[in-house]
Amino acid sequence: MTGLLLEVFVYLAAAVIAVPLAKRFGLGSVLGYLVAGVVIGPTLGLVGSEESVTIQHYAEFGVVMMLFLVGLELEPAMLWRMRSRLLGLGGLQVFVSAGIFSAIAWQFGLDWRTAVAVGLLLSLSSTAIVLQTFQEKGLNKSEGARSAFSVLLFQDIAVIPMLALIPLLAIPELMDAAGVPAEDGHHDLSLVAGLSGWMHAVVVLSSIAGVVVAGHFLTRPLFSFIASTGLREAFTAAALMLVIGIALLMSLVGLSPALGTFLAGVVLANSEFRHELESDIEPFKGLLLGLFFITVGAGVQFGLLIEQAGLVISLTLGVIFLKAAVLFVLALMFGVRRADGWLFTLSLAQAGEFGFVLISYASQNSVLPADLVPILLLVVALSMFLTPLLFIAFDRLVLPRYASNTEGGESDEIDDRGPVIIAGSGRFGQIVNRMLRANQIPTVVLERSPEQIDNMRQVNVKSYFGDATRPDLLHAAGVDDASLFVVAIDDREQCLALTKHLKHAHPKLKVLARAYDRAHLYALRQAGADWVVSETYYSALHMGKQALRAMDYHPFRAQNLTAAFDEAEAKGRDALYEQWLRKDEDESFGRGFQSLFIELEEALHGMMLYDRDDGHARSERGWTPPPKGYTDSFDESFDD
């Protein structure tokens, strides 16, 4: 018992220490788990290889839970909307990459069944690393990231047929060497053992149909009954029972447990209990999946890496190069160009975490020879370790190249003039532009994203490609004759630098700027902007007014209270700004700013209480609220 507790403590301590450090250094949680396994396994020898293999069998259930959650996210309507990129871009990437790697493996003398398994597992990329890196770097909305997400989604779905196919590729010689009977595989219990071929097929199809039907018709009354008890632990137990039960059923009929849980997830994707199921299963999935990656890291054979360094490094670089070549060609075919094309190419060039799953699964099903397994594990792990370097290459080599091309004169030739120049045509700038255009005020819009320019031109909104922080481009856009400049670009530092330049070089030009938060608002105001608005302020103010109306406040009272709040906020903003200006002179700035903020909040509460108790306002009967459509459209003109 003591030994078991010690092993559990070692695994958990490794995860607690390594994963936060890995995320802080931008390496991602998956790499953190792998590093933790490497440290406690081959480096320090705190856990043995046999213990890691034993724990890995239990930890693999995290993969089953992961695919259940993937299924929950795949609403049929969403898949239909994404069908072009999902099947075209994602499908071609998997099939072409798998075909190339399988052909190369076969040429190296591997059995064709082993070669197919190798091609399949190397065709996958790391969903965990790529999506997390996109989020950390703020790339989620780029065309390259959206295309990469389509490929990753198809890969996650493709894992299901891969898991179903691998047992069919079992090599008899490997099964004999492992002492595994061909009839019943790994399962001690089986519902299909000894059945004829057609009966076997009937049982399998009936099991799949049962999962679909039960998921559609029986889960709702079951979860409704459990939810009515108000016992959170009962709902968690039911969720685990559902996943484990379906996994058990699939195992009894000789199918992959992941296949059944994935189908159940898809069936429940439109259920009102979907989010509750996700929140209950997620902690177990994360813990078991992290444990699985730790065991993979603990099983890395550094002795083999040293002995076969040339082979392993060559294979790793070859995998990255070949996948990158396939991805680059697909990016050109589907119109993902310039920096987005390189982002798409470099982000998906590694092997992925599901590669570990398929290697383990293929080894258990006698598809991969025992001597090939550690080499493949090293190749997959090293390619994932190199992923941060690929993103660094994108940041330092690709982006500067396209930035320099822009500076070299690749911006659009601006042939329009107008009294208003708008920098940025994102969700904020385009609303300002639409409002001005609707009132017959000519504008010149500058935008750095080619994809956003294409989107705007599809709806007949003209904008020009170029960096608004370049003085020559501003001159070409007519800044010398303009009356107003609207700064609505996404980068807060560039927004501040552009505001400073405009007020220095063109002091008579009125500058309106969009701020991200209170500190950014103060910095823009200090830089000389004539008017600054926080990007979420007016939408939140509008929401507050609607909240008052939802609480049965008369529309007139809600409007008055909203206006009073806005007035008080404006006064408080001025007072806080004056305090903020002294931040470099006053060592106690933080405490003073906090005290002033609390004081202003108390004054605001007192003022609002007086306004609510104003009897004259409550007795107002001559005010007729404007139509709802009018108030909504007016308020949303300030929205982002």
Side-chain angles (χ1 to χ4, degrees):
M1 184 66 179
T2 304
L4 175 62
L5 292 176
L6 179 61
E7 286 184 14
V8 172
F9 174 78
V10 169
Y11 276 101
L12 293 177
V16 168
I17 295 172
V19 173
L21 289 176
K23 294 197 70 173
R24 173 162 293 186
F25 288 109
L27 300 178
S29 58
V30 175
L31 287 180
Y33 287 121
L34 292 174
V35 170
V38 169
V39 171
I40 66 175
T43 303
L44 300 180
L46 298 177
V47 295
S49 58
E50 294 183 3
E51 292 86 350
S52 296
V53 172
T54 302
I55 293 176
Q56 191 175 74
H57 289 310
Y58 295 100
E60 284 174 354
F61 198 72
V63 178
V64 174
M65 292 184 171
M66 182 181 194
L67 289 172
F68 176 71
L69 295 179
V70 169
L72 282 177
E73 295 293 334
L74 299 181
E75 298 182 35
M78 182 191 73
L79 294 178
W80 180 253
R81 290 194 301 269
M82 297 178 60
R83 62 189 182 278
S84 176
R85 286 290 175 94
L86 190 66
L87 298 177
L89 195 55
L92 282 175
Q93 185 276 322
V94 170
F95 286 113
V96 173
S97 298
I100 291 175
F101 288 127
S102 298
I104 293 175
W106 183 63
Q107 287 295 321
F108 269 87
L110 296 180
D111 184 278
W112 70 269
R113 289 160 290 195
T114 302
V116 169
V118 170
L120 292 175
L121 67 93
L122 292 180
S123 67
L124 303 176
S125 303
S126 176
T127 302
I129 294 177
V130 174
L131 293 186
Q132 180 178 328
T133 306
F134 283 160
Q135 182 177 2
E136 291 172 353
K137 293 182 175 292
L139 298 171
N140 284 329
K141 296 180 181 179
S142 66
E143 180 65 18
R146 288 196 294 265
S147 299
F149 175 76
S150 299
V151 172
L152 291 170
L153 181 57
F154 184 88
Q155 290 179 357
D156 290 345
I157 298 173
V159 169
I160 303 302
M162 289 180 186
L163 290 172
L165 175 63
I166 283 177
L168 304 179
L169 300 174
I171 301 174
E173 293 81 1
L174 295 179
M175 297 177 70
D176 294 338
V180 180
E183 291 88 41
D184 54 10
H186 305 286
H187 308 297
D188 297 325
L189 298 175
S190 176
L191 297 178
V192 295
L195 296 180
S196 60
W198 70 272
M199 281 298 297
H200 185 289
V202 168
V203 172
V204 170
L205 293 176
S206 299
S207 300
I208 295 175
V211 169
V212 175
V213 172
H216 188 74
F217 293 104
L218 300 182
T219 54
R220 181 173 183 178
L222 171 65
F223 287 121
S224 296
F225 171 73
I226 296 174
S228 66
T229 65
L231 298 175
R232 178 66 182 270
E233 61 273 18
F235 199 97
T236 302
L240 291 174
M241 179 193 70
L242 175 68
V243 176
I244 294 174
I246 294 173
L248 175 63
L249 176 62
M250 293 296 104
S251 299
L252 291 176
V253 299
L255 292 180
S256 164
L259 174 63
T261 53
F262 176 80
L263 289 176
V266 173
V267 172
L268 294 171
N270 290 319
S271 169
E272 62 268 34
F273 299 103
R274 187 188 77 179
H275 297 296
E276 188 73 15
L277 288 170
E278 285 179 340
S279 62
D280 285 340
I281 295 294
E282 181 68 34
F284 297 98
K285 183 269 296 184
L287 183 60
L288 288 174
L289 202 59
L291 187 60
F292 173 78
F293 291 133
I294 292 179
T295 60
V296 170
V300 172
Q301 300 183 17
F302 271 91
L304 179 63
L305 176 59
I306 296 173
E307 294 174 6
Q308 304 283 346
L311 174 63
V312 172
I313 294 175
S314 299
L315 289 175
T316 303
L317 296 179
V319 167
I320 292 175
F321 176 79
L322 287 174
K323 288 190 75 171
V326 172
L327 291 163
F328 186 76
V329 172
L330 291 176
L332 294 177
M333 289 174 56
F334 283 81
V336 186
R337 303 183 185 278
R338 298 176 62 84
D340 285 312
W342 283 107
L343 176 62
F344 172 77
T345 298
L346 295 175
S347 64
L348 300 177
Q350 79 290 119
E353 55 269 7
F354 274 124
F356 297 127
V357 178
L358 293 180
I359 290 173
S360 175
Y361 192 66
S363 176
Q364 294 171 10
N365 284 274
S366 303
V367 180
L368 295 178
D371 59 343
L372 183 60
V373 170
I375 294 178
L376 288 175
L377 287 174
L378 283 172
V379 170
V380 173
L382 286 178
S383 70
M384 294 174 66
F385 276 116
L386 291 175
T387 301
L389 296 180
L390 297 178
F391 278 100
I392 291 173
F394 174 77
D395 290 336
R396 299 187 179 181
L397 300 178
V398 175
L399 287 181
R401 173 189 170 191
Y402 285 95
S404 62
N405 285 342
T406 301
E407 292 172 2
E410 288 194 5
S411 301
D412 290 341
E413 182 179 349
I414 302 176
D415 53 10
D416 278 349
R417 287 292 185 275
V420 181
I421 300 175
I422 301 176
S425 62
R427 67 189 192 280
F428 194 94
Q430 63 181 266
I431 293 178
V432 178
N433 184 44
R434 287 170 52 202
M435 191 171 187
L436 294 174
R437 288 281 187 176
N439 286 279
Q440 308 302 314
I441 300 176
T443 62
V444 178
V445 181
L446 305 177
E447 173 59 53
R448 294 189 63 178
S449 170
E451 290 75 22
Q452 185 65 19
I453 290 175
D454 291 339
N455 292 337
M456 291 297 99
R457 288 178 179 174
Q458 289 176 8
V459 292
N460 296 326
V461 177
K462 191 173 183 180
S463 54
Y464 296 93
F465 174 73
D467 184 357
T469 61
R470 286 173 44 198
D472 61 320
L473 186 64
L474 293 175
H475 177 74
V479 68
D480 298 315
D481 301 320
S483 302
L484 176 65
F485 199 107
V486 178
V487 182
I489 54 181
D490 290 333
D491 190 292
R492 66 170 67 202
E493 296 301 327
Q494 288 189 350
C495 180
L496 185 59
L498 177 57
T499 301
K500 290 180 179 178
H501 169 75
L502 290 172
K503 296 307 293 185
H504 175 74
H506 308 279
K508 295 183 178 180
L509 181 68
K510 293 181 180 178
V511 175
L512 311 185
R514 180 265 300 267
Y516 280 81
D517 50 33
R518 189 181 293 270
H520 193 220
L521 183 146
Y522 294 154
L524 287 169
R525 185 171 172 178
Q526 187 181 34
D530 296 276
W531 191 70
V532 187
V533 60
S534 295
E535 60 179 357
T536 58
Y537 175 73
Y538 284 104
S539 56
L541 196 65
H542 175 66
M543 180 70 78
K545 182 177 70 176
Q546 296 303 320
L548 290 175
R549 294 181 62 175
M551 296 302 294
D552 296 328
Y553 276 62
H554 188 278
F556 179 61
R557 298 300 306 128
Q559 180 69 32
N560 273 357
L561 291 171
T562 302
F565 181 93
D566 189 26
E567 181 181 356
E569 177 68 16
K571 294 178 180 178
R573 191 184 302 123
D574 290 339
L576 290 170
Y577 173 65
E578 295 298 327
Q579 179 76 16
W580 180 84
L581 288 175
R582 297 193 292 271
K583 66 182 185 302
D584 296 328
E585 306 170 1
D586 188 358
E587 294 182 357
S588 60
F589 160 73
R591 292 191 300 272
F593 190 90
Q594 182 180 15
S595 299
L596 178 59
F597 186 87
I598 294 174
E599 179 183 337
L600 291 172
E601 282 295 290
E602 292 174 351
L604 173 66
H605 294 166
M607 185 198 70
M608 298 298 281
L609 179 64
Y610 172 80
D611 230 2
R612 289 197 304 272
D613 293 338
D614 185 350
H616 173 74
R618 278 203 313 275
S619 63
E620 178 68 53
R621 293 293 181 266
W623 180 79
T624 301
K628 185 176 185 296
Y630 175 81
T631 58
D632 284 348
S633 62
F634 177 80
D635 283 337
E636 287 175 1
S637 67
F638 295 93
D639 203 349
D640 58 350

